């Protein structure tokens, strides 16, 4: 999937790293050259200097080829304009925008081209799931320096592992379960823990890919 991220601050950088690690083609746009330089080499992404609230800059960043735009700047007015241009001018199918000030949340709707409004306090994984429409496995981040990937997968009614003890699931080599989140609470990943629909598992691996881990549980 082609993704354009407007804003190379903390949030934009984290989203870019996650989506790049998941195999997406990522473009990051920011008017601050120093911010872009700080991202260079951290992950695979095209870096474009410019203000994404300008149609010409979005055009130069080839936003028309993007399936997803994430407006992640620290200014609500910029995020709204970025969203509107991406949706109305270039026809981007899915636009997610960060809401920095809760009082402005009512503006972030389809009238401004926003499909997903993301409050600033939203956890990163939730932002990615909502923005991309993902509902099962989301690669959270890849710690390239250590060669370690962190992957989340959710057990559903249809999952082959539903109803099985965690210890009975054959994991790919070099992979371990870090925690199981059940009803919003982290649970120790004991071998005798029976997996239930709705359980969210966080796994760490230095060898297996996202699809291998997903297949083990689904």
């Amino acid at each position: 999937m082609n993704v354009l991220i407007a804003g190379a601050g903390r949030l934009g950088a984290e989203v870019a790293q996650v989506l790049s690690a998941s195999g997406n083609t990522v473009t990051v746009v920011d008017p601050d050259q120093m911010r872009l330089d700080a991202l260079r080499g951290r992950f695979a992404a095209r870096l474009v200097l410019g203000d994404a609230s300008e149609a010409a800059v979005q055009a130069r960043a080839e936003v028309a080829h993007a399936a997803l735009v994430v407006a992640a700047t620290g200014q609500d007015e910029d995020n709204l304009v970025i969203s509107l241009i991406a949706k109305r001018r270039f026809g981007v199918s899915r636009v997610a925008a960060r809401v920095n000030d809760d009082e402005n949340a009512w503006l972030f709707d389809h009238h401004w081209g926003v499909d997903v409004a993301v409050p600033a306090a939203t956890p990163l994984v939730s932002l990615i799931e909502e923005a991309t429409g993902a509902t099962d496995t989301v690669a959270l981040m890849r710690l390239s320096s250590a060669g370690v990937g962190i992957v989340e997968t959710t057990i559903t009614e249809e999952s082959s592992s539903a109803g099985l003890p965690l210890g009975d699931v054959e994991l790919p080599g070099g992979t371990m379960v870090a925690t199981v989140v059940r009803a919003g609470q982290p649970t120790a990943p004991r071998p005798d823990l029976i997996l239930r629909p709705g359980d969210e598992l966080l796994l760490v691996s230095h060898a297996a890919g996202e699809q291998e881990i997903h297949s083990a549980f689904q």
Side-chain angles (χ1 to χ4, degrees):
M1 178 172 66
N2 289 322
V3 183
L4 185 144
I5 299 169
R10 181 192 59 79
L11 179 64
E14 289 179 353
V15 172
Q17 182 174 0
V18 168
L19 293 180
S20 175
S22 302
N24 298 285
T25 300
V26 176
T27 298
V28 180
V29 182
D30 196 278
D32 189 328
Q33 184 65 61
M34 292 182 63
R35 279 187 170 182
L36 293 177
D37 289 343
L39 300 184
R40 205 174 303 279
R42 284 178 53 185
F43 47 82
R46 179 187 177 205
L47 306 177
V48 176
L49 180 66
D51 185 348
S53 62
E54 298 178 6
V57 173
Q58 289 199 25
R60 180 156 50 86
E62 300 180 335
V63 69
H65 299 301
L68 168 67
V69 166
V70 179
T73 80
Q75 301 296 323
D76 285 343
E77 56 269 31
D78 288 345
N79 289 341
L80 288 170
V81 172
I82 291 166
S83 300
L84 186 64
I85 292 173
K87 178 69 72 174
R88 305 287 183 243
R89 177 75 177 271
F90 296 103
V92 176
S93 60
R94 193 165 182 83
V95 178
R98 178 186 189 181
V99 182
N100 296 282
D101 186 340
D102 290 341
E103 292 185 1
N104 295 329
W106 65 277
L107 289 167
F108 286 73
D109 61 15
H110 68 281
H111 296 293
W112 279 94
V114 178
D115 298 301
V116 179
V118 185
T122 299
L124 179 62
V125 65
S126 297
L127 185 157
I128 300 298
E129 287 177 344
E130 292 179 21
T132 61
T135 57
D136 46 22
T137 307
V138 176
L140 297 178
M141 64 186 69
R142 189 167 301 279
L143 306 178
S144 56
S145 60
V148 175
I150 301 177
V151 175
E152 183 185 54
T153 191
T154 300
I155 307 302
T156 68
E157 296 282 356
E158 292 75 30
S159 298
S160 60
S161 59
L164 294 180
L166 179 58
D168 285 3
V169 179
E170 186 174 349
L171 297 176
T175 302
M176 63 175 291
V177 179
T179 189
V180 177
V181 179
R182 176 172 291 172
Q185 297 298 320
T187 302
R190 306 184 313 274
D192 61 346
L193 180 68
I194 304 299
L195 295 174
R196 303 175 184 170
D199 286 349
E200 299 176 15
L201 284 72
L202 194 68
L203 301 100
V204 179
S205 179
H206 63 77
E210 178 186 2
Q211 188 56 48
E212 291 179 83
I213 294 173
H214 177 78
S215 297
F217 290 92
Q218 307 302 330

